Amino acid sequence: SLFDDCSPGNLPDDTDAILDVARGGNHTLVLLSRRPAGEAYSAPITHVEVWGAGDGSRGQLGPSCLEHQPRFRRLELHHGLEGYRIVAIAAGWDSSFFVMRKDGVLDEIVSMGGNDFGDIGVTKAKAGQPNIVDLISVAGVARSITVTNICAGPHHIIVILQIKTANGMEFQKVVGWGASRHGQLGPILSSTGRPPRRSQEKGSRG
C-alpha cells in the first residue's frame, strides 16, 4: 500500500500500530495510532488518525477529497467535535463512519458519503458532507451513550449502543439504518423496503 510521503510498503513515520481497516465498495479506511517524532517506543500512544484511499467522488473521503486517491492520505474531519478522538471506523459501499469519543460526554458518530438508500441518514442535498448521526432520538434521555460496536454492509449500518440513564438504568440498544428490502434491519413493514430505524434492547439496573 502507498501512503502519502512514504516509500512503497511503509507506514507513515512514528506509526505505532494499525488499529482497524474498513473497506467499502471502492474506498478503504485505515485507523492508525501514532506518537510524536523522537518519542521512545514505550511512550504512551498520543493520538489516532484515519487515512483513506480510493474513490472519493461521493464524499466518502471527506469534502476536500472528491476524486480518486491512489495513495492513502490523512483525512481531516471538520465536524465541530474538537477534543474528540476516533475510536472505530466502518465503511459502506460509498459511505464512511467514524465513532468519536471524548471523556465525560456522549459518543458521536460522524458519517459522510453517498445517501442513495439512507446510508448516512441525511437528505441527498447534504450527501457527501460530514454529518453527525442523531443518536439521541433513538437512545432517549441518557446520561451517557457509548458506541460499543459498528459495522456496515453495502447500504445498511448496524450500531450497538451502551446507554446509561440518570436514574441508574443501564441497557444495550441495537440500532440500524439504510436499505432493508431483504430484512437487514428486521421485519419489513412497508412496501418501500426502507422502514424507519429499528432497535432491540436489553436492560439491567446498575
Side-chain angles (χ1 to χ4, degrees), residues 77-130:
L77 304 181
H78 300 290
H79 46 65
L81 295 175
E82 288 76 14
Y84 282 74
R85 62 189 185 277
I86 305 171
V87 296
I89 56 177
W93 184 260
D94 56 5
S95 53
S96 301
F97 305 88
F98 313 89
V99 177
M100 313 296 295
R101 183 165 297 161
K102 182 178 181 180
D103 294 341
V105 298
L106 310 182
D107 280 5
E108 299 282 5
I109 298 177
V110 173
S111 62
M112 56 194 190
N115 193 44
D116 295 341
F117 296 87
D119 303 37
I120 61 174
V122 300
T123 63
K124 288 188 177 181
K126 294 183 179 180
Q129 297 296 316

Side-chain angles (χ1 to χ4, degrees), residues 60-75:
Q60 58 267 59
L61 298 180
S64 63
C65 186
L66 299 176
E67 56 187 19
H68 182 76
Q69 296 295 324
R71 302 173 68 94
F72 281 95
R73 58 181 295 183
R74 182 180 177 183
L75 303 188

Side-chain angles (χ1 to χ4, degrees), residues 31-48:
L31 195 62
L32 302 178
S33 64
R34 302 184 67 191
R35 62 188 72 247
E39 291 287 343
Y41 183 79
S42 59
I45 296 172
T46 57
H47 63 280
V48 174

